Amino acid sequence: MTVRGGREFLVIPGPTTVPDEVLQAMHRPAVDIYSGPLIALTDSLFADLTKIFRTAGRAYVYIANGHGAWEAALTNVLSRGDTVLVLESGRFAAAWGDAAAKLGCEVETLAGDWRRAIRPAEVEARLRADKAGRIKAILAVQIDTASGVVNDIAAIGKAIKAARHDALFMVDAVASLGCMPFEMDAWGVDVAMSGSQKGLMSPPGLGFVAVGPRAREAHAKAGLRTPYWDWTTRDGDIHYQKYAGTPPEHLMFALRQALDMLFAEGLEKVFLRHRLLAEAVRRAVAVWSEGQAFSFNVAEAAERSDTVTTVLMGEGGDPRALFDYCNSKCGVVLGVGIGALSGKAFRIAHMGHVNAPMILGILGVVEVALEALGIPHGKGGSQAAIEWLGASVKA
């Protein structure tokens, strides 16, 4: 017996739910890649991406996922043998560092904790100790979707400035862009990158890199530049050069519609929506955790992200039964634990095209699964979420 009929709820932290309007925008014929309307579309996308990144610099669009955007960012500013400092707070900054190592960079990791955010004071101390200026770039993520932590990029930027270090500050905003504030220029970020499939509510396949003036200077002498990723090549006057070949037309149509939806709602309202819905999830998890079968992975409440909540199973707990029940019986696809948390955690994403009915439905299904499977939990998690939203979203 199941109650699965109806629309499946995808609750993984990317790819996220694509709005019907975005899907419909893709449902059209291809157009001439040299035509005026497509060139105008490119110009509008590039201009609006800089608004999302909050930079006076330039944005680039790649036919790639986030891993491609990582490589684009690295190859355009670094040379073989350069030292890169990775700020660990989960899986993804480390993975970005692995990419740098495979490109021939020397990688140093400022060890962190999968349950805590980056400590800016430790970053400042490490940079002050680098008297010779060996470190050429610093890699960090704003939100790590494996651990569920949010890092204070503004504070890290201040720490780098306080250390009077010249390293480029490079930030992965894949799981945060379009969901929470990102102030590239104000926070001292030199290179930022993201992807289309999370807060930007579009299908996977587009990677974005935003570039500041210090990164431009580094680009002039970077030794890792390759034809596909190269900014200089993409700065050419010919339209198809901006994509190193045929433009990804239908993904461009999708992104245009998604950006229009974000701007129509208003970015500040988008950020508030994410904060409110994230807190609703956290209220529910806090109640459920009273049964001691699981807990928040991120120990400090202020360091829990507004786009994904990672829930750690108790000693000996296995989340597979919970995944399977929610999916096969109710049509809710939870995120699995990944990296060091594989088989130890589950994740509830609350990013992109998401609203109160979706979140409350997801929480209700998880609570149904806890009841059906006999997993110890505090009663009334969904009710706690309802009370939070009722008190916060005024008539």
Side-chain angles (χ1 to χ4, degrees), residues 237-256:
D237 293 332
I238 301 173
H239 181 242
Y240 72 77
Q241 286 181 311
K242 300 182 189 307
Y243 302 96
T246 304
E249 293 185 0
H250 290 82
L251 291 175
M252 293 163 65
F253 300 150
L255 181 62
R256 180 67 270 159

Side-chain angles (χ1 to χ4, degrees), residues 164-316:
R164 300 175 184 269
H165 202 286
D166 290 333
L168 295 174
F169 188 22
M170 304 175 67
V171 177
D172 174 326
V174 172
S176 56
L177 198 69
C179 303
M180 65 173 292
F182 186 83
E183 297 282 346
M184 179 172 167
D185 292 355
W187 295 346
V189 177
D190 298 299
V191 182
M193 53 72 59
S194 193
S196 56
Q197 76 276 18
K198 300 197 182 208
L200 298 186
M201 306 185 299
S202 301
L206 294 181
F208 313 116
V209 177
V211 183
R214 295 180 69 244
R216 282 279 179 200
E217 293 174 8
H219 174 71
K221 56 182 183 294
L224 288 175
R225 288 162 57 176
T226 60
Y228 185 76
W229 306 117
D230 192 80
W231 297 335
T232 299
T233 300
R234 288 169 177 259
D235 286 337
D237 293 332
I238 301 173
H239 181 242
Y240 72 77
Q241 286 181 311
K242 300 182 189 307
Y243 302 96
T246 304
E249 293 185 0
H250 290 82
L251 291 175
M252 293 163 65
F253 300 150
L255 181 62
R256 180 67 270 159
Q257 179 62 39
L259 291 175
D260 288 345
M261 293 174 68
L262 287 175
F263 290 132
E265 184 176 355
L267 289 179
E268 290 303 320
K269 291 182 179 178
V270 171
F271 302 155
L272 177 58
R273 170 167 56 85
H274 279 83
R275 288 198 299 272
L276 291 170
L277 295 177
E279 184 59 24
V281 172
R282 292 189 286 261
R283 296 286 174 117
V285 173
V287 171
W288 296 335
S289 66
E290 293 169 4
Q292 299 184 348
F294 43 68
S295 61
F296 289 102
N297 178 60
V298 178
E300 297 292 330
E303 297 176 356
R304 295 168 189 157
S305 83
D306 284 344
T307 63
V308 58
T309 298
T310 301
V311 183
L312 191 64
M313 301 297 290
E315 190 67 32

Side-chain angles (χ1 to χ4, degrees), residues 327-364:
N327 187 353
S328 64
K329 299 294 187 182
C330 301
V332 167
V333 183
L334 295 172
V336 299
I338 58 175
L341 299 180
S342 179
K344 301 176 182 178
F346 66 92
R347 296 177 295 161
I348 301 174
H350 30 85
M351 65 172 76
H353 188 59
V354 63
N355 61 17
M358 296 164 73
I359 289 298
L360 293 175
I362 292 159
L363 297 176

Side-chain angles (χ1 to χ4, degrees), residues 110-113 116-124 151 156 303:
L110 185 63
D113 183 337
R116 289 293 312 275
I118 297 163
R119 282 79 153 177
E122 294 181 4
V123 178
E124 181 179 347
N151 290 305
I156 297 169
E303 297 176 356

Side-chain angles (χ1 to χ4, degrees), residues 85 87 110-111 116-130 138 151-164 303:
L85 179 65
L87 308 183
L110 185 63
R116 289 293 312 275
I118 297 163
R119 282 79 153 177
E122 294 181 4
V123 178
E124 181 179 347
R126 177 64 192 91
L127 294 178
R128 286 186 181 276
D130 183 30
I138 300 160
N151 290 305
D152 189 339
I153 299 302
I156 297 169
K158 289 178 181 177
I160 295 168
K161 186 175 181 179
R164 300 175 184 269
E303 297 176 356

